[in-house]
Amino acid sequence: MEDCELDAGTVEIVKRSRGRHVIRTLYDADADFNCFGRAPIGTYMLATLPRSGSTFCAIRLWQTGLLGAPMEYLNFRIMGDLFQRLGYRPDKDGHIPSSQVGAYWSDVQRLRTSPNGMFGYKMFASNYYEISKKFPEFLQQIAPNYVVYLTRRDEVGQAISYSRAQRSRIWFGGVPDAPAVDYDYEHIKACLRSVEEQKGFWESVFGITGTDPIRIFYEDLLEPEFSTVTSVLRAMGIQPNPKSAITVPMTMRQTDGVSKDWRERFLEDSCREAEVNRDA
């Protein structure tokens, strides 16, 4: 972002896709703030689960111009482009050397802290677990001032979406020629268990670290007045300011009739299985 003056009007991130999916452009230099000039005043982690609308949420928070750009900077396996841009060379497993993780984090904060001094990052339970095992000393460095915990009330819908994404390997809308996958009751059940286990993992982390997260739901983010985003700002002691808003490209929502059909079939199969188990 070339213009970091809040009173200069809306700052627009220029989308230069060149055939790339919009999600990848959100890690480009065009999307950097790069204007705060020192360590962040405040930090937060967007703790979340797969298929909970986390990218949608992250962009909504980003669009305020007051909450940094909370993307997946610690999901090392998808950070190849950013590593290269910042001059880091990952190993064969997609990680940068442990001796460089701290410097990488400082570079990301320098580029992605919003003008008011706030820096955010998105974290899945699997990424947090991996870091705790491979870079345990790094957890202290990334410890945030706040945690925003995003979940989804509709766990069945989440599990269906999770099942489709895992098997098609398509995690974002707008991907051309996305492969179709068949309904699989057992796989959806496994995804539902995984969602519950990941939620349990986060609750354990919150308990161990003494964290009282700001809890929000994906469904509430769909409300047009964005009251949920306002509540997040206020929970962090930040005064909402429409003049600070910036334009950030939004990814396409993945919603279609297939998921609706799968839901009906899944609920029917669940009832049938419950009856069999009851009669056994």
Side-chain angles (χ1 to χ4, degrees):
M1 298 180 183
E2 296 179 356
D3 189 347
C4 290
E5 295 297 327
L6 294 181
D7 59 359
T10 299
V11 181
E12 182 171 3
I13 298 175
V14 180
K15 178 185 173 185
R16 299 175 180 174
S17 62
R18 298 177 183 175
R20 297 159 68 227
H21 192 280
V22 64
I23 193 66
R24 296 187 65 184
T25 71
L26 297 180
Y27 294 94
D28 287 350
D30 288 326
D32 293 343
F33 286 103
N34 196 23
C35 62
F36 189 63
R38 58 187 186 278
I41 293 173
T43 62
Y44 71 96
M45 175 173 70
L46 176 59
T48 190
L49 311 168
R51 318 315 293 166
S52 61
S54 62
T55 300
F56 177 79
C57 177
I59 293 175
R60 288 291 185 228
L61 298 177
W62 189 349
Q63 288 173 336
T64 67
L66 300 170
L67 291 170
M71 301 301 286
E72 296 177 49
Y73 309 116
L74 296 174
N75 187 351
F76 294 132
R77 288 183 176 82
I78 66 170
M79 289 293 100
D81 289 349
L82 183 58
F83 285 160
Q84 183 176 13
R85 178 160 76 87
L86 298 180
Y88 296 94
R89 293 186 177 182
D91 59 24
K92 60 182 178 61
D93 295 322
H95 296 101
I96 54 178
S98 58
S99 61
Q100 297 181 13
V101 170
Y104 162 74
W105 194 238
S106 295
D107 284 342
V108 171
Q109 288 186 320
R110 172 176 54 82
L111 297 174
R112 292 302 178 100
T113 297
S114 51
N116 64 332
M118 287 299 296
F119 172 80
Y121 63 97
K122 182 168 67 163
M123 181 78 83
F124 290 107
S126 58
N127 301 137
Y128 190 95
Y129 179 79
E130 183 177 39
I131 290 171
S132 71
K133 295 300 180 183
K134 295 187 176 181
F135 310 109
E137 69 287 348
F138 186 51
L139 286 180
Q140 185 61 39
Q141 186 173 346
I142 67 173
N145 301 117
Y146 303 95
V147 172
V148 178
Y149 182 37
L150 171 71
T151 55
R152 185 170 168 175
R153 292 191 183 94
D154 179 12
E155 290 188 354
V156 171
Q158 184 175 3
I160 288 171
S161 178
Y162 200 6
S163 176
R164 293 182 67 183
Q166 281 190 349
R167 291 184 291 132
S168 68
R169 298 186 178 182
I170 301 298
W171 295 88
F172 300 99
V175 176
D177 302 320
V181 292
D182 295 328
Y183 169 82
D184 187 327
Y185 174 65
E186 293 299 329
H187 193 266
I188 295 172
K189 276 206 311 181
C191 288
L192 187 57
R193 287 194 300 270
S194 178
V195 167
E196 293 168 348
E197 289 169 358
Q198 291 178 63
K199 290 175 76 172
F201 173 84
W202 275 128
E203 294 296 346
S204 295
V205 170
F206 300 152
I208 292 171
T209 59
T211 298
D212 183 15
I214 303 166
R215 298 176 184 268
I216 62 175
F217 296 95
Y218 165 69
E219 289 85 353
D220 295 339
L221 284 166
L222 300 178
E223 296 298 322
E225 65 270 18
F226 303 138
S227 59
T228 298
V229 174
T230 298
S231 71
V232 170
L233 285 165
R234 288 177 173 158
M236 295 184 190
I238 302 173
Q239 182 63 35
N241 183 359
K243 293 182 179 180
S244 300
I246 59 177
T247 300
V248 183
M250 179 57 76
T251 57
M252 184 182 299
R253 288 183 62 195
Q254 287 180 286
T255 179
D256 55 31
V258 173
S259 293
K260 182 178 179 181
D261 175 62
W262 282 21
R263 173 189 292 277
E264 294 174 356
R265 294 177 65 181
F266 181 80
L267 294 177
E268 290 173 358
D269 288 343
S270 295
C271 290
R272 188 177 300 111
E273 183 178 54
E275 290 176 358
V276 170
N277 291 337
R278 187 170 53 249
D279 295 338

